[in-house]
Amino acid sequence: SLPKSAAVDAKSSPVDWFKGIEVGAVGAIRQADFISGHSEKGAGVFVAFEANKYVKVEGRVLSFEESPKGDENDHWKGDVVDEIAVGIRSTILGSANGKLKLEGAGGLDRSQQLDDFGFHVGLVASWNPTKNVKASIGREIRTWLRNDHDHLSFVSIGYAF
């Protein structure tokens, strides 16, 4: 006989299979310098899985308006996916009711535009106004294997099942 935790409950709904999964949209700004310097607007989507109360594994794809190689007339005409990232977010601080969190982020990046791989670390502030709606704002520093580092600021809104 299977343990109770491994048994499939006949009364479970299809939504239970998606418990812990979050999907959403991301708006981003990529900068070469921390505050000043040229910035590029981007947009994308993300999928995250809440492994437990404190750790989330996520993947995101982004597309940017301009090419980092100086083609300022790209205007969304390049690749559909300019960057792919996978990473982990872990809660550093959280409010008592769980609606506000400060999270540390880290992971791996792939830039199609730069034809390069990199790593990112950063901080993310998250707000959960309802059980299913989640909003975040964050800042990451990214270092590339063959190119200079850059910074990514982002805002996201998602729906958690």
Side-chain angles (χ1 to χ4, degrees):
S1 147
L2 290 172
K4 192 169 189 167
S5 62
V8 176
D9 184 7
K11 295 180 182 179
S12 67
S13 71
V15 175
D16 290 342
W17 289 93
F18 296 106
K19 191 132 182 95
I21 293 177
E22 180 183 352
V23 295
V26 180
I29 297 175
R30 177 173 58 192
Q31 293 175 293
D33 295 325
F34 185 67
I35 294 175
S36 62
H38 180 71
S39 62
E40 302 165 69
K41 297 179 288 285
V45 294
F46 73 91
V47 175
F49 175 71
E50 206 166 277
N52 61 40
K53 184 175 164 178
Y54 302 104
V55 177
K56 182 187 294 187
V57 178
E58 69 178 1
R60 72 173 173 234
V61 295
L62 294 173
S63 181
F64 288 95
E65 179 183 25
E66 299 173 4
S67 167
K69 296 179 181 174
D71 181 9
E72 295 184 10
N73 296 317
D74 186 33
H75 298 292
W76 307 101
K77 295 177 187 168
D79 295 331
V80 173
V81 175
D82 293 324
E83 290 184 5
I84 300 168
V86 292
I88 295 176
R89 285 172 35 179
S90 180
T91 301
I92 297 171
L93 295 171
S95 65
N97 64 5
K99 291 188 180 245
L100 295 172
K101 291 181 184 177
L102 180 64
E103 301 168 311
L108 304 171
D109 298 279
R110 167 70 179 153
S111 173
Q112 298 296 99
Q113 292 177 326
L114 297 172
D115 190 28
D116 204 355
F117 290 90
F119 305 93
H120 68 265
V121 294
L123 287 175
V124 181
S126 297
W127 176 50
N128 304 342
T130 69
K131 178 183 171 187
N132 300 99
V133 175
K134 300 186 178 201
S136 299
I137 186 167
R139 179 81 169 180
E140 297 174 351
I141 184 167
R142 303 169 327 155
T143 185
W144 301 98
L145 297 179
R146 295 186 307 247
N147 291 280
D148 290 336
H149 72 280
D150 64 7
H151 302 264
L152 185 74
S153 300
F154 62 90
V155 61
S156 66
I157 186 146
Y159 182 83
F161 293 94

